[in-house]
Amino acid sequence: MLTSTEENYLKAILALENEGAVSTNALADRMETKASSVTDMIRKLAEKELVDYQKYKGVSLTVSGKDAALRIVRKHRLWEVFLVEKLNFGWDEVHEIAEQLEHIQSVQLTDRLEEFLGFPKFDPHGDPIPDKNGTIVRRKKACLLNEMELTIPATVVGVNDSSPAFLQFLDRQGVQLGDTLILLEKYEFDDSMLVETKNGTINFSHAVVTNICVEPKQ
């Protein structure tokens, strides 16, 4: 049995591992705590054989540690789907609530929740949901909006930035998952781009077009 704090650390290490070796300082920044606190927690997780730690090389998840982290991510993203699809929460409202719900330990509840939702592959932000075996379905053709060629229709499939501020901004622009966007023009001056949306053409900043994930329409 893991504490909620230990689970949060495992989830954070999993996320950081996708970006390379995980240093104690990077983990401290992610967890918004002191490096000394991170060191103490790494020691506890290492004693439970959930992480490996080598001085100057950082920390990594063991096989059992990665399995545990993926189970937490699975629960979190399934709860986000439930909150949006069944309780009509906005996609900008669900992260903090799912942070609480992800620590429920019942495997049976998680499996029934997944079945009730129809075995979704992606959460409301477009992030993949691991199945009960930890398998993740990844989008093969996904890219950032700024990487699209001009005039090629693309479907919004996710966001890199899932902060409430960014999601609320997209809501105000009428941009949602499943929408079609067409890149019309790229401006070299500030890397902003003119984009055709269902609500008309909008000039999006570099910060926006590098945080919207799309797939070319078939």
Side-chain angles (χ1 to χ4, degrees):
M1 186 71 70
L2 298 174
T3 67
S4 58
T5 302
E6 289 171 335
E7 290 187 336
N8 287 338
Y9 268 86
L10 292 177
K11 190 172 64 168
I13 295 169
L14 178 67
L16 290 169
E17 275 190 338
N18 294 329
E19 304 167 11
V22 182
S23 68
T24 53
N25 286 335
L27 192 51
D29 289 341
R30 180 91 177 192
M31 299 301 297
E32 299 181 348
T33 189
K34 298 177 181 178
S36 58
S37 299
V38 170
T39 301
D40 290 340
M41 178 56 70
I42 289 174
R43 187 179 301 113
K44 292 178 183 178
L45 295 173
E47 289 173 356
K48 295 184 178 183
E49 300 183 345
L50 296 170
V51 301
D52 288 321
Y53 176 71
Q54 298 182 43
K55 197 172 183 179
Y56 306 120
K57 290 188 177 181
V59 61
S60 60
L61 295 171
T62 63
V63 172
S64 58
K66 185 173 183 180
D67 287 344
L70 286 169
R71 287 196 297 270
I72 301 160
V73 170
R74 176 174 175 242
K75 287 186 287 183
H76 182 101
R77 293 177 179 173
L78 285 171
W79 281 117
E80 287 193 334
V81 175
F82 176 79
L83 291 166
V84 169
E85 292 189 358
K86 305 303 179 182
L87 298 185
N88 298 318
F89 279 87
W91 65 341
D92 60 308
E93 300 176 302
V94 296
H95 179 73
E96 292 300 325
I97 304 172
E99 285 278 303
Q100 301 170 51
L101 293 168
E102 71 185 27
H103 299 298
I104 296 174
Q105 296 298 320
S106 173
V107 175
Q108 185 180 42
L109 174 61
T110 305
D111 290 346
R112 289 193 178 187
L113 176 64
E114 182 182 42
E115 182 179 7
F116 175 69
L117 295 171
F119 300 94
K121 301 299 183 185
F122 300 93
D123 75 7
H125 309 116
D127 293 318
I129 301 174
D131 67 14
K132 64 188 306 179
N133 298 314
T135 303
I136 295 177
V137 176
R138 301 204 179 270
R139 300 182 188 275
K140 296 180 179 179
K141 297 181 180 180
C143 65
L144 297 176
L145 179 58
N146 68 310
E147 297 170 339
M148 282 294 300
E149 295 182 16
L150 296 181
T151 72
I152 303 297
T155 302
V156 179
V157 295
V159 291
N160 273 359
D161 181 354
S162 57
S163 67
F166 183 63
L167 299 177
Q168 290 164 14
F169 170 82
L170 293 182
D171 281 340
R172 289 194 294 272
Q173 307 305 318
V175 175
Q176 301 173 331
L177 295 189
D179 283 358
T180 299
L181 302 179
I182 302 176
L183 202 56
L184 298 177
E185 194 166 354
K186 301 181 180 182
Y187 300 112
E188 184 177 348
F189 171 69
D190 59 359
D191 290 327
S192 64
M193 300 183 181
L194 188 66
V195 179
E196 181 179 317
T197 75
K198 64 186 179 186
N199 292 336
T201 55
I202 302 174
N203 190 51
F204 283 142
S205 69
H206 179 73
V208 172
V209 295
T210 54
N211 275 300
I212 297 176
C213 301
V214 296
E215 275 188 341
K217 295 197 74 168
Q218 299 297 325

